[in-house]
């Protein structure tokens, strides 16, 4: 089995040493270029060059990085599976439009107090309806719970599986153990 090649575009406060970048590095062949987030266009150019050399199976962008990923899609630099995490595209002047024919999943926490979930709801109404999916989760802007549980790695694998008929089945992390559901007692 092949290890997935994941290119991660970190957020304003993120880095190649951040929790999401480390999660991807632990489970996949991952590339997270360090960016100077003060220059949006330079970040887009950096990731365009990285796509050309790294040749990822999937592009993942978080918050500011989600805006960079949307710019790469809109400029037709990238046409592969894309996972947007609490994307902030409207905050960087990008139209709420995804290109047709591209698998794009958006994950956004209902408890996000940095980027309004309505932005992802609006973006998810564009593109090809059968290929675009919005996943709303009980989490915060950083998606801490999804990172800690490994659920984020599972979403990456599932998106690639559903979007590719030509790639061999990716090597994915085992599903995270689930807590048994039971009654909680008040004391």
């Amino acid at each position: 089995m092949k290890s997935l090649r994941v290119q991660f575009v970190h957020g304003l406060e993120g880095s190649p040493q951040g929790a999401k970048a480390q999660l991807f590095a632990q489970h996949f062949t991952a590339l997270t270029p360090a960016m100077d987030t003060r220059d949006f266009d330079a970040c887009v150019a950096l990731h365009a060059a990285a796509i050309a050399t790294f040749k990822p199976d999937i592009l993942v962008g978080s918050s500011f990085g989600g805006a960079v990923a949307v710019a790469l899609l809109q400029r037709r630099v990238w046409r592969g599976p894309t996972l947007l995490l609490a994307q902030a595209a409207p905050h960087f002047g990008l139209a709420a439009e995804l290109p047709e024919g591209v698998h794009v999943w958006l994950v956004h926490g209902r408890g996000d107090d940095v980027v309004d979930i309505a932005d992802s709801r609006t973006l998810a109404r564009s593109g090809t309806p059968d290929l675009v999916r919005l996943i709303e989760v009980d989490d915060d802007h950083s998606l801490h719970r999804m990172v800690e549980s490994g659920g984020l790695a599972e979403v990456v694998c599932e998106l690639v599986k559903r979007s590719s008929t030509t790639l061999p089945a990716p090597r994915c992390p085992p599903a995270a153990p689930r807590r048994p559901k039971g009654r909680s007692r008040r004391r």
Side-chain angles (χ1 to χ4, degrees), residues 59 73 97 129 155 158:
L59 182 66
L73 287 166
E97 295 176 11
V155 171
E158 189 62 28

Side-chain angles (χ1 to χ4, degrees), residues 21-136:
Q22 293 303 309
L23 175 77
F24 297 139
Q26 178 184 355
H27 292 290
F28 310 111
T29 300
L31 175 68
T32 305
M35 301 183 294
D36 177 355
T37 57
R38 295 171 294 181
D39 186 341
F40 184 80
D41 287 328
C43 293
V44 174
L46 173 73
H47 277 277
I51 286 168
T53 57
F54 182 63
K55 301 190 183 329
D57 297 314
I58 184 170
L59 182 66
V60 180
S62 180
S63 193
F64 171 87
V68 171
V70 168
L72 291 163
L73 287 166
Q74 290 177 348
R75 296 174 188 183
R76 298 194 177 280
V77 171
W78 175 250
R79 302 285 295 158
T82 306
L83 179 60
L84 303 174
L85 310 172
Q87 64 81 29
H91 297 267
F92 295 91
L94 299 172
E97 295 176 11
L98 295 171
E100 295 291 324
V102 181
H103 281 84
V104 180
W105 287 6
L106 300 91
V107 176
H108 209 118
R110 290 184 200 97
D112 190 334
D113 60 357
V114 177
V115 176
D116 193 333
I117 196 170
D119 294 343
S120 286
R121 291 174 180 150
T122 300
L123 189 60
R125 288 192 291 271
S126 67
T128 304
D130 290 345
L131 304 181
V132 177
R133 179 178 175 194
L134 173 61
I135 304 167
E136 296 186 17

Side-chain angles (χ1 to χ4, degrees), residues 159-178:
L159 173 53
V160 172
K161 283 179 189 175
R162 291 194 185 204
S163 64
S164 178
T165 57
T166 58
L167 286 175
R171 188 173 67 225
C172 293
R178 306 283 183 215

